[in-house]
């Protein structure tokens, strides 16, 4: 079950962050704070979490991260460039060791032929290392809440990327 995956990954991420004495911050859009909620469900997470914001509106992305109006106009809110600037911006503003930026289209509306529902970009910035990955998530036809399924998959993948960074496997 994917919710079990989310719980597992959040526990591993908190454990690794604690062991390494590192702090993380999140700027989330399509997940609505789900990755952060998973982190805060772990006892002792206050030792590793600095800040989390849901930058759902473009104006929030520009106000609280490094996303600019020019980037939004040229590449869109759901893009590699926006995710990268979300991660670097939240890291800088929170003065944390690691910043995570998540942006995407959870659906069921809002997609386009160029960016269909399930398009997601996740970025991680540790100062020394920056990465952005593109995903196209979907859900089985029998899934009742396809939007929730995409949000969960996105949060799981964000935490998996964070764990990979912490394990030095990136």
């Amino acid at each position: 079950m994917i919710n079990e995956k989310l719980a597992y990954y959040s526990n591993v991420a908190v454990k690794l962050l604690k062991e390494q004495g590192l702090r993380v911050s999140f700027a989330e859009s399509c997940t609505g704070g789900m990755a952060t909620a998973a982190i805060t469900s772990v006892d002792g997470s206050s030792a590793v979490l600095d800040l989390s914001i849901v930058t759902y509106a473009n104006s929030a992305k520009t106000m609280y991260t490094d996303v600019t109006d020019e980037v939004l106009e040229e590449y869109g809110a759901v893009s590699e460039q926006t995710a990268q600037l979300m991660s670097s911006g939240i890291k800088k503003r929170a003065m944390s060791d690691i910043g995570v930026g998540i942006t995407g289209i959870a659906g069921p509306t809002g997609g386009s032929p160029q960016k269909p529902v399930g398009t997601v970009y996740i970025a991680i910035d540790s100062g020394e290392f920056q990465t952005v990955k593109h995903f196209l998530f979907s859900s089985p036809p029998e899934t009742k809440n396809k939007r929730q399924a995409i949000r969960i998959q996105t949060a799981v993948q964000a935490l998996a990327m964070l764990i990979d960074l912490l394990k030095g496997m990136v």
Side-chain angles (χ1 to χ4, degrees):
M1 169 128 184
I2 197 154
N3 287 334
E4 291 173 7
K5 271 187 164 179
L6 191 55
Y8 172 78
Y9 283 109
S10 59
N11 275 286
V12 172
V14 169
K15 178 180 180 281
L16 291 170
L17 286 161
K18 280 182 180 179
E19 288 174 358
Q20 296 179 33
L22 298 173
R23 298 185 63 81
V24 66
S25 293
F26 291 82
E28 299 185 57
S29 185
C30 64
T31 49
M34 187 178 285
T36 303
I39 291 287
T40 60
S41 71
V42 178
D43 183 45
S45 59
S46 61
V48 301
L49 180 65
D50 276 326
L51 175 68
S52 173
I53 56 174
V54 176
T55 56
Y56 215 71
N58 286 348
S59 58
K61 289 175 180 65
T62 60
M63 186 178 300
Y64 298 108
T65 72
D66 286 347
V67 177
T68 64
D69 289 330
E70 293 77 22
V71 165
L72 291 170
E73 187 174 313
E74 185 170 349
Y75 302 104
V78 179
S79 66
E80 176 179 337
Q81 294 80 2
T82 297
Q84 190 278 318
L85 292 170
M86 288 170 69
S87 68
S88 63
I90 196 64
K91 177 188 179 304
K92 180 172 51 179
R93 280 164 184 75
M95 296 184 287
S96 59
D97 301 297
I98 301 168
V100 179
I102 302 169
T103 186
I105 305 167
T109 61
S112 69
Q114 298 80 19
K115 295 179 185 177
V117 168
T119 299
V120 171
Y121 291 90
I122 303 169
I124 296 187
D125 186 336
S126 71
E128 295 177 16
F129 180 83
Q130 298 86 32
T131 188
V132 182
K133 291 187 179 179
H134 170 248
F135 300 92
L136 183 56
F137 294 119
S138 61
S139 56
E142 67 276 4
T143 303
K144 290 183 181 176
N145 190 336
K146 295 179 187 310
R147 178 180 180 83
Q148 185 72 351
I150 289 170
R151 292 176 63 227
I152 291 169
Q153 290 173 73
T154 301
V156 166
Q157 191 58 54
L159 294 178
M161 287 174 63
L162 176 59
I163 290 166
D164 285 348
L165 171 74
L166 294 167
K167 288 184 171 181
M169 297 170 26
V170 288

